[in-house]
Every structure is written in structure tokens, then in C-alpha cells.
Amino acid sequence: MIKKILLSTAIITSLVSSAAAEEKWISLFNGENLDGWTVKFSGFEVGNNYKDTFQAKDGILSVNYDQYDEFKGEYGHIFYKDKFSHYKIRLEYRFTGEQLKGGPDWGIRNNGIMFHTQSPESMEIEHGWPVSLEFQLLGGLNDGKERHTGNVCTPGTHIILNGKLEKTHCMDSNSKTFHGDQWVTAELEVKGDEYMRQYINGELVMEYKKPIADANDEEQPAHPMKDGVPVTEGYIALQAETHPTQFRNIMLLDLSMD
């Protein structure tokens, strides 16, 4: 009996390893330039990488504020060129340096993976954030308090969380707090509007489902969807919200054939 159990375990392990080996992850970032990505800053036309905020060098996509004196509302996003519905995205991130002068308090060590977003071309000139879901990434403030990462925010949308329609803008995960400039791995699994699962360093920290459009969100000018419509697909974007941030190993696994 013991031999049979050991044999079964070996077979299962082999199958899992084979399946993992067959997964075809692709890189969304070439590590050298921003080819394949489109920038949109509040107050500027699509494609204007204001003050060279988004930079690519040595395998790192960074949010850089070296050319700024002070923040004046120039929230930015960088969008990958393709639209997705069923997929996993995984990347490493870390916060560096100090927040740009004039940035909001909530912007300290704050970034995010925006997904199921509208296209950058459909955003208004003064648009701050795309209609989307946000896998929020936060760093600890070294103040002795917990500050979870892997949270969810819902600009122009609502979600079902813990069995009920949730209209709160941002909701905390159960993750650990990560201080300093350490690299943290964030992974998101999306199945259309069926479910969204968020992982930090391999641990599931949040799960929700059935996002719908909130066309009554006052911070979303010219909302591109009718109120209550299911949000099932969209673009992926990274943020520039006043704190220097670095990203690397930005990988995607297409699950549309599963």
C-alpha cells in the first residue's frame, strides 16, 4: 500500500511538473524600451510620456520623477497594446526613493496593476484613471502599522466580494506588509468576469468576481460603458501616482483556450 501511495504521488508530481513546463508564459516587456506600450497622462494627449516618467533600462520598467519639481495632478498610466479576458499576469515590483513633492498622502508607496481597462485612446484629456479594476500595490510606511498590498480598487466599476455587491472604492486584502525597497511578486488570475484571484509572493490574498460598470462614478468623465454592464475584458496598465516604482519580469499566460 505504501509503495502504491508513493507511486501515485510520484505520478501526480510528474504530471504537475509537465503541465507547468507546457505553460507558455510570454514577456510583455522587452527590458530595453517601451515598445508595445502606450502612455496616457492626465492633461495630455495619448502617447505623451510626460517628463520621461516611464523609462526602460536594464530589464526594469520604472516610474521616474527626476525631471519634476512638484506634482500638479499629472497622474499617468502605461497600457500594454493588447486586450485580454482570460489570463494570468505576474510581475515583480518595488518602491524606491521618496514620493514626489506635492503628491497626495495616499500616493506614498502606491501603484497598481490596472486591468479590464478601457483603451487609452478612449480617455478624456483630463482623465485621471481609466475605468478598470485595480490590483493595488502598496508598501509599508515604517510607522508600526500594517499596510496590506494586493488590495482591490474599482474606478468606474463595482464587484461581488464575499457574496455581495461591493460599492466601496478600495478594499483590503489579507496580505503581509512589505517595507523598504524589497522586490515583491504580484500575480493576478482573471477569468473574464467569472472570478479574479490576487496573489502576493505566491499566497492568495484576495478573490472576487462579477465586475460591472458603474456609470455613475463622478470621477469617470465620459464613461465608456452603460451602467451595470458586465466587465469581461480590457487592457492592462501600470500606474504613475507620484512614488518612484520599478517593475521587472512582466509575464503573461493566456488562459483563453482553457
Side-chain angles (χ1 to χ4, degrees):
M1 179 63 72
I2 293 177
K3 288 183 178 180
K4 288 183 178 180
I5 293 174
L6 291 175
L7 181 59
S8 297
T9 301
I11 292 173
I12 292 171
T13 301
S14 177
L15 290 173
V16 170
S17 298
S18 297
E22 291 175 1
E23 288 185 340
K24 295 181 179 179
W25 289 82
I26 61 171
S27 178
L28 302 187
F29 172 54
N30 64 24
E32 300 177 355
N33 54 52
L34 301 179
D35 288 356
W37 296 79
T38 299
V39 175
K40 173 68 179 76
F41 277 86
S42 180
F44 300 89
E45 296 284 353
V46 174
N48 184 341
N49 189 8
Y50 180 70
K51 292 187 180 293
D52 201 25
T53 306
F54 290 103
Q55 300 180 9
K57 185 179 179 180
D58 298 331
I60 292 175
L61 195 164
S62 64
V63 179
N64 188 295
Y65 292 101
D66 288 351
Q67 296 185 30
Y68 288 68
D69 294 319
E70 187 173 358
F71 180 68
K72 297 180 180 178
E74 308 96 333
Y75 292 107
H77 296 82
I78 186 166
F79 297 77
Y80 188 66
K81 62 183 178 65
D82 294 329
K83 185 185 292 188
F84 299 99
S85 178
H86 293 60
Y87 61 95
K88 292 181 182 179
I89 183 170
R90 183 175 63 218
L91 56 74
E92 295 172 79
Y93 72 92
R94 70 174 179 179
F95 298 101
T96 62
E98 300 297 325
Q99 183 191 30
L100 175 63
K101 179 182 177 182
D105 289 344
W106 55 260
I108 301 173
R109 295 184 174 272
N110 186 336
N111 207 295
I113 303 171
M114 316 293 280
F115 65 101
H116 279 8
T117 81
Q118 67 185 107
S119 70
E121 292 80 9
S122 68
M123 294 175 66
E124 300 290 306
I125 290 292
E126 301 298 333
H127 213 146
W129 296 267
V131 170
S132 60
L133 299 163
E134 178 188 351
F135 182 1
Q136 187 186 50
L137 309 174
L138 299 178
L141 301 179
N142 293 311
D143 58 0
K145 299 179 181 179
E146 289 189 351
R147 194 177 190 225
H148 304 292
T149 187
N151 307 321
V152 60
C153 297
T154 55
T157 56
H158 295 315
I159 59 172
I160 299 293
L161 178 65
N162 298 323
K164 73 169 189 175
L165 181 65
E166 184 59 72
K167 296 185 177 182
T168 305
H169 178 58
C170 288
M171 292 142 278
D172 274 9
S173 76
N174 61 2
S175 80
K176 300 174 184 176
T177 299
F178 296 89
H179 296 286
D181 60 356
Q182 62 182 300
W183 287 101
V184 180
T185 299
E187 182 173 326
L188 169 69
E189 181 179 359
V190 181
K191 282 291 188 78
D193 69 341
E194 183 181 347
Y195 66 79
M196 293 80 189
R197 294 172 181 159
Q198 297 178 178
Y199 300 82
I200 295 294
N201 284 353
E203 295 184 5
L204 179 65
V205 298
M206 193 151 211
E207 182 173 357
Y208 48 96
K209 61 183 179 179
K210 300 298 180 184
I212 60 172
D214 172 21
N216 298 311
D217 188 333
E218 295 180 355
E219 294 189 1
Q220 295 298 328
H223 199 299
M225 304 176 71
K226 292 183 179 180
D227 193 54
V229 170
V231 182
T232 63
E233 63 178 8
Y235 296 89
I236 293 169
L238 303 174
Q239 296 183 311
E241 290 193 319
T242 71
H243 201 111
T245 313
Q246 294 182 337
F247 299 95
R248 68 183 184 187
N249 299 324
I250 306 171
M251 306 295 292
L252 184 133
L253 177 66
D254 189 348
L255 301 177
S256 60
M257 301 301 292
D258 289 1

